[in-house]
């Protein structure tokens, strides 16, 4: 919406593609998909989010007004979040860290940002200077979406593919795209293909 302010969304509820929009008197179908940069981190992140939610519930039950905010947590490198025996212990460490406003147990550091309604806990954002996103992963994703293209709504004038890197996700974030020139070789029935990262809103036109 930032890059195409003149776009008017017509349908947020369709499934193939995800959205229907109007642009310059054209009906545009927009298919949205996330590119995962670190598959091994996806499972860890899913477990982490469940732990965060349990700690959020504890804090909200005690006093939402007192603890509301967004908390960014960094953890000690030896912490295993997939160990069920330690999950309860980790939840309590997170809860105590926020309550005392200082790192406790598995928590290495924390910082708080304002939020006017609820308690949100997330992993501290940190960039690795050599964290590349391989262009092959983007091309493989485009290939998978190409296969589904014939099943999309045929009433649209154009169909766009928007590939997103969720930079707030450990599994999705990246620093740079490796071998970016390979993206110029893309072949696809999609009328336009973009790669978008949600932290700074940088957009790359692939097709």
């Amino acid at each position: 919406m930032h890059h195409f302010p003149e776009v008017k969304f017509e349908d947020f509820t369709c499934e193939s593609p995800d959205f229907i929009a109007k642009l310059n008197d054209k009906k545009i179908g927009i298919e949205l998909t996330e590119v995962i940069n670190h598959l091994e981190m996806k499972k860890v992140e899913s477990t982490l989010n469940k732990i965060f939610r349990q700690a959020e519930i504890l804090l909200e039950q005690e006093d939402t007004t007192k603890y509301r905010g967004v908390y960014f947590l960094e953890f000690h490198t030896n912490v295993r979040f997939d160990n069920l025996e330690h999950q309860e212990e980790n939840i309590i460490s997170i809860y105590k860290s926020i309550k005392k406003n200082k790192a406790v147990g598995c928590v290495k550091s924390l910082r708080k940002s304002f939020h006017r309604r609820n308690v949100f806990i997330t992993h501290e954002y940190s960039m690795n200077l050599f964290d590349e996103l391989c262009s092959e992963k983007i091309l493989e994703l485009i290939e998978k979406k190409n296969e589904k293209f014939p099943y999309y709504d045929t009433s649209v004038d154009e169909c766009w593919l928007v590939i997103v890197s969720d930079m707030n996700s450990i599994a999705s974030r990246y620093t740079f795209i490796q071998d970016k020139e390979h993206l110029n070789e893309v072949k696809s029935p999609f009328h336009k293909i973009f790669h978008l990262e949600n932290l700074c809103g940088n957009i790359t036109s692939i097709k």
Side-chain angles (χ1 to χ4, degrees), residues 54-92:
Q54 291 303 310
E56 286 164 5
I57 288 166
L58 287 175
L59 292 157
E60 285 170 351
Q61 283 174 344
E62 188 172 315
D63 191 341
T64 303
T65 309
K66 185 177 178 183
Y67 299 116
R68 68 168 58 122
V70 183
Y71 297 88
F72 298 88
L73 272 58
E74 187 183 352
F75 299 95
H76 294 292
T77 49
N78 61 342
V79 179
R80 291 282 306 274
F81 289 101
D82 54 353
N83 188 325
L84 291 171
E85 291 175 27
H86 294 143
Q87 273 192 22
E88 196 62 38
E89 190 182 311
N90 292 335
I91 291 164
I92 297 301

Side-chain angles (χ1 to χ4, degrees), residues 4 15 31 33 37 55 63 80 85 111 119 131 153 207:
F4 297 94
E15 293 202 356
E31 178 68 11
T33 187
N37 196 22
D63 191 341
R80 291 282 306 274
E85 291 175 27
R111 66 183 175 92
V119 179
D131 195 5
D153 187 337
K207 181 185 174 186

Side-chain angles (χ1 to χ4, degrees), residues 26-145:
K26 279 186 178 178
K27 195 176 178 185
I28 312 284
I30 300 172
E31 178 68 11
L32 199 64
T33 187
E34 182 183 356
V35 59
I36 304 300
N37 196 22
H38 307 284
L39 270 175
E40 70 284 358
M41 288 304 299
K42 192 71 180 168
K43 191 176 175 185
V44 175
E45 191 161 33
S46 177
T47 306
L48 256 178
N49 288 336
K50 287 174 188 167
I51 290 170
F52 290 160
R53 188 67 200 120
Q54 291 303 310
E56 286 164 5
I57 288 166
L58 287 175
L59 292 157
E60 285 170 351
Q61 283 174 344
E62 188 172 315
D63 191 341
T64 303
T65 309
K66 185 177 178 183
Y67 299 116
R68 68 168 58 122
V70 183
Y71 297 88
F72 298 88
L73 272 58
E74 187 183 352
F75 299 95
H76 294 292
T77 49
N78 61 342
V79 179
R80 291 282 306 274
F81 289 101
D82 54 353
N83 188 325
L84 291 171
E85 291 175 27
H86 294 143
Q87 273 192 22
E88 196 62 38
E89 190 182 311
N90 292 335
I91 291 164
I92 297 301
S93 289
I94 292 166
Y95 163 76
K96 284 182 177 175
S97 296
I98 290 170
K99 199 173 170 184
K100 295 177 178 180
N101 197 29
K102 68 173 188 178
V104 172
C106 65
V107 180
K108 185 179 177 183
S109 66
L110 77 156
R111 66 183 175 92
K112 181 182 178 181
S113 182
F114 172 78
H115 192 278
R116 62 189 177 87
R117 291 182 64 187
N118 296 100
V119 179
F120 289 108
I121 304 170
T122 187
H123 198 272
E124 177 62 279
Y125 184 85
S126 60
M127 289 294 283
N128 180 337
L129 290 175
F130 306 103
D131 195 5
E132 73 267 13
L133 169 58
C134 181
S135 57
E136 285 302 314
K137 287 181 181 171
I138 296 174
L139 292 172
E140 281 169 20
L141 197 54
I142 292 169
E143 275 300 315
K144 283 182 185 173
K145 290 294 177 181

